[in-house]
Amino acid sequence: LDRRAAERFVEAGYEPFHDALGEFFGSTITYFFFDQPHANFYTWAQHHGDLGTAMPYRSELPRLIRERWRGRHAQVMLALLEGDDAESRALRAQFYEFFSREAIDVFLGTLHEWASRRGVLLSGHEVLGHVGSWNLDDAFGDWDLRVNFGLDYFRVDSYRDLTGVDAQDTSPQLSAKLGDSVARANGRSGAIVEQYFAQAHAGSGSYAGHWGLTLEELRAQAIRHHLLGMRQLLFHGFYQTDGFDDDPRMFVNPRFDFPPGENFEPWFAEHHADFAIETARLSEFLEGAEPACDVALLYPLRAAWTDGQHGRHAREVGAWAEALATLGYGYRLVDEEALVAA
């Protein structure tokens, strides 16, 4: 929420790349990809109420809140914690609308401004509660994702030049479809999908990953993503090593850090180039077509603001999205602003 912090992030995290490789910006280096920026989702022992995670803060925020609500700011703050009546829900939605615009404009606006000055595009993805699922709330369930850009995927995308999402494991899921939907809402189409693996199969353990990933599994997932709106597949990472024996530390040993390192799978050397060419050609073919769109599926942002990501809407949206995809209906997710403007 503090522009000085965003500027310092750019100075420490982005500017050194320009110092070293600036001559390649806009040519070899086409875009920067941010991966899940968030404010750590702090909680505390005495916390209670509707707000599940500490709210990011900056010193000017109380003044802005008082100016926005003119004498009702205490009631607004209380509505973040409790109250299921219509007025409390309305105030809660108003606050998260205000908060998400502040967070998105300050942080992503600063990143986008820097990238534009340096001649590169901006891409990446925020924390997605639906990653690995059709439902909007099956991932990161212990975090209150409203404090992370307000769950407003459509406004976040307005600061990207290339839409980015991530996808988990090899199951059919919402990520590519929602990515393409927010891109189209902002005058573009298609999404970069960052693919990672948390578990080989249900119950195999969080973040144990999927050593033994087959080309058949990866190819099927890539084709699914393409048909749902992916333009480009981006691996979570290529590995310099496949890890170390006798070191079970999570995220320290690459063996237990969102594996596999695809470049260490036995099929990689012989078959990856053909796989990459095939997906590129499929992407190019699909790029020239306008997908069928028979149904508009509402992304109910205000329901997410008032009820949190675990509200009833999360599974209703997921059920509709999965059913439409399974039955072969073309659809697009739209937000409330699109309905107002329709």
Side-chain angles (χ1 to χ4, degrees), residues 49-52 55 68-69 72 75-100 144 146 150 301-308:
D50 186 75
L51 178 63
M55 181 76 67
R68 166 66 177 80
W69 279 280
R72 302 190 72 200
Q75 189 178 354
V76 172
M77 293 292 96
L78 185 60
L80 296 183
L81 300 179
E82 59 186 47
D84 205 35
D85 57 284
E87 184 177 22
S88 295
R89 290 168 61 82
L91 289 174
R92 194 149 64 235
Q94 288 175 25
F95 178 84
Y96 283 115
E97 181 176 30
F98 158 83
F99 167 82
S100 62
D144 191 335
R146 289 173 296 185
L301 181 57
R302 276 161 181 76
W305 285 342
T306 55
D307 299 331

Side-chain angles (χ1 to χ4, degrees), residues 14-23 25 32 114 117-120:
Y14 280 16
E15 199 62 44
F17 286 101
H18 184 264
D19 293 342
L21 302 165
E23 62 182 302
F25 275 37
F32 269 56
W114 179 88
R117 285 201 320 268
R118 295 306 192 187
V120 288

Side-chain angles (χ1 to χ4, degrees), residues 287-322:
E287 186 74 15
E290 180 69 24
C293 188
D294 307 308
V295 177
L297 176 59
L298 177 66
Y299 175 69
L301 181 57
R302 276 161 181 76
W305 285 342
T306 55
D307 299 331
Q309 73 258 30
H310 297 298
R312 185 176 132 191
H313 68 284
R315 296 188 175 269
E316 291 188 357
V317 170
W320 278 106
E322 183 177 16

